[in-house]
Amino acid sequence: MQRTSLYIRDGLLAFVVCQAEGALLRMRQLLWVWMLLMALAFVNDRCHCCLQEERSGLLEIKAWFSHAGGAASSTLQDWDKEDLNCCNWSRVECDNTTNRVIELYLSYVNYYALGENDLYLNASLFLPFKELETLGLSGNQLVGGVKNQGFQGLASGLRKLKELHLTFNKLNDSILSSLSGFSTLESLDLSENCFTGTIGLRGLRKLEVLYLDSIDFKENILLESLGRLPSLKTLSASWSKFEGKHFGKGQ
């Protein structure tokens, strides 16, 4: 009887030990799975960061706006050099596959600048963004470009740009000829600037949509040039004035 009890006790002990070892093994397996998932999450987060070159470029653009006296410090406050994943920054859109920046919405960053802080485009700041398709620069008090780094330089660097928004700036006819290099452009907004129509648009063979709202036309050269844009489908000239000798008395 005593020997039987010993057998039972030893059997139970062996069973308990076996169960404990099994539980420990399962815990180890779960720990390994948890560590693997954490590692994959870390790698996935790192993989979805934008390129270092583009991240540095965005910080340089922020500094450009700040130097101009704009409200970049508040408008672009989440553009932080400590944050590696600039695809999550406001006004920035990245391609889900390549993580390259494809859209930049920088309109009205310099709009609330103190005083008359005219801004000159520095195309070199945008050259890192080789895959950029949409660029918004409306409402930034742009008056032109830095020498050799104006819109012509921007066109030569952004070979995939499809949309360009320049409304509500202080641009004049002198910049129109430099826009000819945007060979991939499909939509262009030039509304509410200081154009008078003395220079035409050319070279924009893929342009489909053009906004010329609230423009005070004195000459018809710009409007006549639109007939040489083969892909143009939509033209908006709402609230524009046509007061030059070529337009008679109409508006």
Side-chain angles (χ1 to χ4, degrees):
M1 184 73 178
Q2 184 176 6
R3 180 175 299 177
T4 301
S5 297
L6 288 174
Y7 286 150
I8 294 174
R9 186 189 65 184
D10 291 344
L12 288 173
L13 181 60
F15 176 77
V16 170
V17 171
C18 182
Q19 288 294 99
E21 290 178 345
L24 181 60
L25 179 61
R26 287 192 294 274
M27 288 180 63
R28 287 177 177 174
Q29 290 174 337
L30 289 173
L31 180 60
W32 277 109
V33 170
W34 179 80
M35 292 176 64
L36 179 60
L37 290 175
M38 291 296 293
L40 288 174
F42 176 77
V43 171
N44 184 63
D45 183 66
R46 295 285 294 187
C47 289
H48 282 81
C49 292
C50 62
L51 300 185
Q52 174 61 35
E53 179 186 12
E54 294 187 332
R55 178 174 164 274
S56 298
L58 291 174
L59 293 174
E60 288 185 17
I61 290 174
K62 180 179 180 179
W64 173 57
F65 277 118
S66 298
H67 181 72
S73 57
S74 58
T75 308
L76 306 176
Q77 60 182 345
D78 64 327
W79 289 26
D80 188 351
K81 63 181 180 180
E82 301 299 327
D83 184 0
L84 295 178
N85 196 356
C86 55
C87 287
N88 290 334
W89 294 359
S90 63
R91 299 169 174 261
V92 179
E93 294 291 336
C94 294
D95 183 90
N96 291 329
T97 302
T98 65
N99 303 316
R100 299 294 301 257
V101 175
I102 56 173
E103 298 178 6
L104 276 179
Y105 299 98
L106 302 173
S107 296
Y108 299 96
V109 175
N110 194 51
Y111 182 70
Y112 297 103
L114 298 176
E116 294 293 324
N117 288 310
D118 292 340
L119 193 63
Y120 290 85
L121 178 69
N122 185 349
S124 65
L125 296 173
F126 297 90
L127 297 184
F129 309 102
K130 305 297 185 184
E131 303 295 320
L132 195 64
E133 297 179 0
T134 301
L135 177 59
L137 290 172
S138 298
N140 281 313
Q141 304 192 57
L142 282 170
V143 296
V146 176
K147 185 177 181 180
N148 299 323
Q149 289 296 340
F151 288 97
Q152 190 170 3
L154 191 68
S156 64
L158 303 182
R159 307 305 299 176
K160 297 188 177 181
L161 196 67
K162 296 180 180 180
E163 294 185 30
L164 179 59
H165 303 273
L166 296 172
T167 185
F168 207 67
N169 282 297
K170 302 176 182 179
L171 302 169
N172 59 40
D173 292 0
S174 64
I175 69 108
L176 293 176
S177 59
S178 62
L179 298 179
S180 62
F182 288 104
S183 58
T184 58
L185 208 59
E186 297 176 0
S187 178
L188 175 62
D189 193 345
L190 297 174
S191 303
E192 299 186 76
N193 278 285
C194 302
F195 304 120
T196 61
T198 60
I199 296 178
L201 287 171
R202 57 185 178 83
L204 303 175
R205 301 194 59 80
K206 292 188 177 182
L207 190 67
E208 298 180 359
V209 181
L210 176 62
Y211 296 94
L212 294 172
D213 301 329
S214 300
I215 301 295
D216 188 5
F217 289 100
K218 302 296 185 184
E219 299 287 342
N220 65 350
I221 297 176
L222 173 56
L223 295 176
E224 287 182 345
S225 71
L226 304 185
R228 295 189 289 274
L229 302 180
S231 301
L232 191 63
K233 299 176 181 178
T234 302
L235 171 64
S236 175
S238 301
W239 304 289
S240 290
K241 297 180 180 180
F242 306 91
E243 298 180 336
K245 59 183 180 180
H246 300 284
F247 305 110
K249 297 181 179 179
Q251 280 192 247

